[in-house]
Amino acid sequence: MPSSPTATQGPAKHCPSCGLDADVGRYCEACGGDLVEHERPAETAAWLSSAATEDNPEHPGGSDDHTSFSLPGIGAATDVGKRHHYNQDSLAISLADDGRKIAVVCDGVSGASDSERASLAGVEAAVTEIRAALGEGLSAEDASRRGVSAAHSAVAAVGKQYPNSPPSSTYVSAVVEGNQAVLCWVGDSRAYWAGEKEARCLTVDDTIHARLEYQGVDPSDDRYKNPYSKALLAWLGADAPTLNPNLLRVDLGGGHVVVCSDGLSRYFDEDADLLPLPDGGVGDKAVALTRQALAHGGHDNISVAVVELESPGSVQVDEHAQEHADPDPEQGDSTSLLGVASEAEYTELLGGGRP
């Protein structure tokens, strides 16, 4: 796995008398004046992740417990919270060569071995693959498919040494093109749209309960009462079901896209609870949202990325199509709700998921 590129360059020299630049030497070759050092403008990193700058010897290879970072138009922050001893969340952000913005969040599932290292491997594999695919001219949808597949393989690879309890992770990614976003997710990590006066959750958790709600099934339906109705039906890792991620393109009209783990979203009773977004730039917003979750108890690890859209964001979200990101995009009905043709299929899924 390649490491995140460095965002700074070393010092260069110049002549204050005639302005000539030079990399070495003490005197200007043009006028003989003394050369002085100055800092070149920092280059934008290709991608950044939450990888720990100092390893925790008890749990090496995961994310920092408290960190934040940003690129132009994207801010990210993660926090271990108040109840856990280490951070099993990870996130990564990137700018494609053409300026498209990329954000990925993985939430390592508690109770499995080394989920913190697996989630970090997942986000770094995904952001690298998405960026590469966009650079090859692929659509954001195809790039997202490649990204989630790379993340799945990376999480599964960490699990090879734990055959009895392999690590697993949820996943959500966003590729932002102007005022459109292409979202891909597995599990219950979410993406939200935040406008000036309205917010909306754009993803549907991979649980029976969430899918029934999305279908508009009456709350009195017995399937809501199933003890596994809120168990995950899909995740990444060696013991995961066949990878069949959700994929969505939506025209948002402006504002911000917020991708996060359930360490933040668990505190939203309504989508509007995300508003108003905190003041400041996208980096400030991401940090402030983690602090809001901490103020509500910080019961879980918290990760959030805030991605700026092209316009201010007073326009309501347009209708959108949603599909399962089948490896063959020619297969399946791309406008079906989560790729499920009938409620009967939900009945068959009641025994699924992880308790």
Side-chain angles (χ1 to χ4, degrees):
M1 179 68 61
S3 60
S4 177
T6 303
T8 60
Q9 288 184 323
K13 297 182 177 182
H14 73 284
C15 175
S17 299
C18 66
L20 182 69
D21 286 326
D23 291 323
V24 294
R26 295 179 56 187
Y27 304 106
C28 177
E29 294 181 359
C31 69
D34 290 336
L35 295 175
V36 297
E37 293 185 349
H38 67 85
E39 292 289 334
R40 292 177 181 152
E43 287 186 348
T44 299
W47 57 267
L48 300 171
S49 80
S50 55
T53 54
E54 296 183 6
D55 271 346
N56 180 337
E58 295 183 3
H59 299 281
S63 292
D64 262 328
D65 284 347
H66 319 277
T67 192
S68 60
F69 45 96
S70 61
L71 292 171
I74 321 172
T78 186
D79 195 283
V80 68
K82 297 181 177 180
R83 302 292 183 90
H84 291 276
H85 296 296
Y86 49 96
N87 193 357
Q88 293 182 311
D89 279 7
S90 297
L91 71 168
I93 60 175
S94 178
L95 288 175
D97 290 337
D98 61 4
R100 281 179 284 185
K101 306 179 186 97
I102 306 163
V104 185
V105 170
C106 280
D107 179 356
V109 176
S110 299
S113 303
D114 227 358
S115 284
E116 65 277 7
R117 190 162 64 93
S119 69
L120 181 63
V123 297
E124 293 191 342
V127 76
T128 302
E129 193 66 24
I130 293 171
R131 192 174 189 278
L134 293 174
E136 294 168 15
L138 272 65
S139 68
E141 286 86 352
D142 287 340
S144 297
R145 291 185 181 99
R146 277 181 41 175
V148 70
S149 179
H152 180 51
S153 296
V155 173
V158 175
K160 288 182 178 179
Q161 60 184 302
Y162 305 103
N164 296 322
S165 180
S168 52
S169 177
T170 65
Y171 176 94
V172 62
S173 68
V175 179
V176 171
E177 306 173 325
N179 282 331
Q180 292 190 340
V182 172
L183 308 172
C184 184
W185 73 97
V186 178
D188 60 359
S189 292
R190 295 182 181 178
Y192 290 83
W193 168 71
E196 291 179 341
K197 298 180 180 180
E198 182 183 1
R200 182 182 297 183
C201 183
L202 301 172
T203 54
V204 180
D205 294 351
D206 278 321
T207 66
I208 296 296
H209 191 280
R211 292 181 179 185
L212 291 173
E213 282 188 332
Y214 182 67
Q215 288 277 11
V217 176
D218 191 282
S220 64
D221 192 291
D222 286 342
R223 286 171 290 180
Y224 286 109
K225 302 174 184 177
N226 187 282
Y228 300 113
S229 66
K230 293 186 179 181
L232 289 180
L233 298 171
W235 58 93
L236 305 183
D239 67 342
T242 301
L243 181 64
N244 192 20
N246 306 286
L247 187 68
L248 167 74
R249 176 182 284 270
V250 59
D251 190 342
L252 298 169
H256 295 83
V257 171
V258 177
V259 295
C260 63
S261 65
D262 61 355
L264 175 65
S265 62
R266 66 184 295 153
Y267 299 114
F268 299 154
D269 293 327
E270 305 288 342
D271 294 350
D273 292 343
L274 177 59
L275 298 179
L277 282 184
D279 293 334
V282 285
D284 298 322
K285 294 179 191 299
V287 171
L289 286 170
T290 63
R291 290 175 178 168
Q292 286 181 12
L294 290 169
H296 282 89
H299 294 81
D300 200 353
N301 306 148
I302 309 150
S303 288
V304 55
V306 179
V307 187
E308 192 173 53
L309 295 164
E310 193 171 57
S311 303
S314 59
V315 181
Q316 183 172 345
V317 178
D318 291 342
E319 291 299 317
H320 54 265
Q322 186 167 274
E323 64 171 316
H324 267 299
D326 192 280
D328 181 1
E330 298 299 321
Q331 297 179 2
D333 177 7
S334 64
T335 61
S336 64
L337 301 182
L338 289 171
V340 178
S342 67
E343 288 187 14
E345 290 189 52
Y346 289 123
T347 303
E348 295 173 5
L349 288 170
L350 282 175
R354 172 177 289 180

